[in-house]
Amino acid sequence: MEAAAAGARALLVLPSRSPFQEPRFAFPVRCAPIPIAQRHFFPPPRSWDSHCRRPLLRFSCCLREAQGDPATRRKRLAVFVSGGGSNFRSIHKATIDGTVLGDVVIVVSDKPECKACEYAREHGISVAYYPRTKFAPDGVSPNELVEILRHQRVDFVLLAGYLKLIPKELVEAFPRAILNIHPALLPAFGGKGFYGIKVHEAVIASGARVSGPTIHFVDEKYDHGSILAQRTVPVLETDTPQDLAARVLEQEHALYVEAVAALCEERIEWSGDGVPRMREKELA
């Protein structure tokens, strides 16, 4: 058919008079057929609003990208979630207020109905599902997941309460570009089975007097990769696991935003023995 040979017909979307209004459709243009990977993620309605409310900012971002300066180009972020997504929301807000030089372009989850996915849809962020399970029958394979992220031109992958093991295909496709946050001081209280409130129960049961979040680069094992940053909080004698979790979570939000900001600004340095560190931001 002519449509198959020449490519699908699409509509070019141009700005309305006000960036807060619905987009208006202009003239039809020719484009290539939609890649198969796009069938596996689901951009929510009215995505125009969240992506184009500040057209001048978006224009400047595109200009920086065209210039190709990695230190000033806004990075494209994928966030993996499984639950409420408080760290994801903290990072997303930091991208909006300018603290993080990047944009969350896609969310990946093993639980399509979790609150983090709901938040993503409400804010015009595409959502993909991995892996394929009874809770996520539309989930993709590891290779399809890599294809989707590449199609979205993702620079960095951020795990924010994602409970599944990251496939080796993704680790190999994004070397030194995947971060995770863990609610304890690794290497203690980490590994398979240590997640959520279980971590804080184990910390209290051990008699440890300090705890805190750890941010590390991701490899093919649970909670096992080069540690980038940690922050400590006290463990009080009267603490319940919920008390400790709340104290650690407050530091998680702050520390993860700092680490992602450094990542997006190319301020991560690696020593000769493979240990990363965050370089302080230079004052203007």
Side-chain angles (χ1 to χ4, degrees):
M1 295 176 63
E2 180 183 354
R9 293 180 66 84
L11 289 176
L12 179 64
V13 180
L14 296 179
S16 304
R17 292 186 178 180
S18 167
F20 294 96
Q21 296 175 354
E22 293 291 336
R24 59 186 173 85
F25 294 97
F27 48 88
V29 295
R30 295 282 181 177
C31 66
I34 297 175
I36 188 172
Q38 290 194 29
R39 297 187 316 199
H40 298 294
F41 64 91
F42 309 95
R46 301 190 63 183
S47 59
W48 168 267
D49 287 351
S50 63
H51 291 295
C52 301
R53 282 181 175 171
R54 291 178 291 179
L56 291 180
L57 174 61
R58 300 301 304 171
F59 175 78
S60 64
C61 297
C62 293
L63 181 60
R64 286 196 296 267
E65 289 191 16
Q67 293 172 339
D69 183 354
T72 58
R73 177 178 64 84
R74 291 183 71 86
K75 304 305 190 296
R76 297 173 65 83
L77 310 174
V79 183
F80 284 48
V81 297
S82 290
S86 65
N87 274 303
F88 157 46
R89 283 177 280 175
S90 178
I91 291 168
H92 179 246
K93 291 175 182 176
T95 66
I96 294 173
D97 67 22
T99 304
V100 169
L101 189 66
D103 298 291
V104 179
V105 297
I106 189 168
V107 164
V108 177
S109 180
D110 60 318
K111 297 181 179 179
E113 303 306 320
C114 70
K115 291 184 178 179
C117 287
E118 181 180 337
Y119 176 91
R121 297 185 193 102
E122 290 174 351
H123 289 79
I125 302 171
S126 298
V127 176
Y129 307 134
Y130 175 84
R132 183 179 293 111
T133 66
K134 64 178 181 179
F135 301 106
D138 293 321
V140 299
S141 69
N143 288 329
E144 288 173 326
L145 178 62
V146 171
E147 183 183 353
I148 288 171
L149 299 187
R150 284 176 172 166
H151 177 77
Q152 290 284 312
R153 295 182 288 118
V154 166
D155 294 296
F156 300 114
V157 175
L158 311 174
L159 310 187
Y162 185 70
L163 301 182
K164 297 294 184 180
L165 187 65
I166 296 300
K168 66 177 183 179
E169 291 88 348
L170 188 62
V171 175
E172 293 172 355
F174 291 87
R176 292 185 174 180
I178 308 176
L179 283 184
N180 180 47
I181 188 162
H182 184 74
L185 298 173
L186 294 175
F189 311 109
K192 189 174 182 179
F194 281 95
Y195 62 89
I197 203 68
K198 294 181 180 180
V199 174
H200 307 294
E201 291 173 345
V203 170
I204 292 175
S206 74
R209 296 273 64 95
V210 294
S211 188
T214 298
I215 296 174
H216 65 94
F217 284 90
V218 173
D219 58 19
E220 297 174 19
K221 300 179 182 179
Y222 281 110
D223 304 324
H224 182 273
S226 300
I227 293 175
L228 177 62
Q230 293 179 313
R231 188 165 290 174
T232 60
V233 300
V235 180
L236 307 181
E237 293 183 3
T238 58
D239 272 347
T240 65
Q242 291 74 18
D243 294 332
L244 181 58
R247 192 176 304 120
V248 171
L249 184 61
E250 182 179 356
Q251 296 303 316
E252 285 184 43
H253 293 167
L255 187 62
Y256 213 176
V257 167
E258 290 180 19
V260 175
L263 193 65
C264 291
E265 295 169 13
E266 307 284 340
R267 291 191 285 109
I268 306 298
E269 298 178 341
W270 292 81
S271 63
D273 56 357
V275 176
R277 72 176 185 90
M278 292 190 292
R279 189 179 72 249
E280 292 294 327
K281 188 172 184 177
E282 296 179 2
L283 298 178

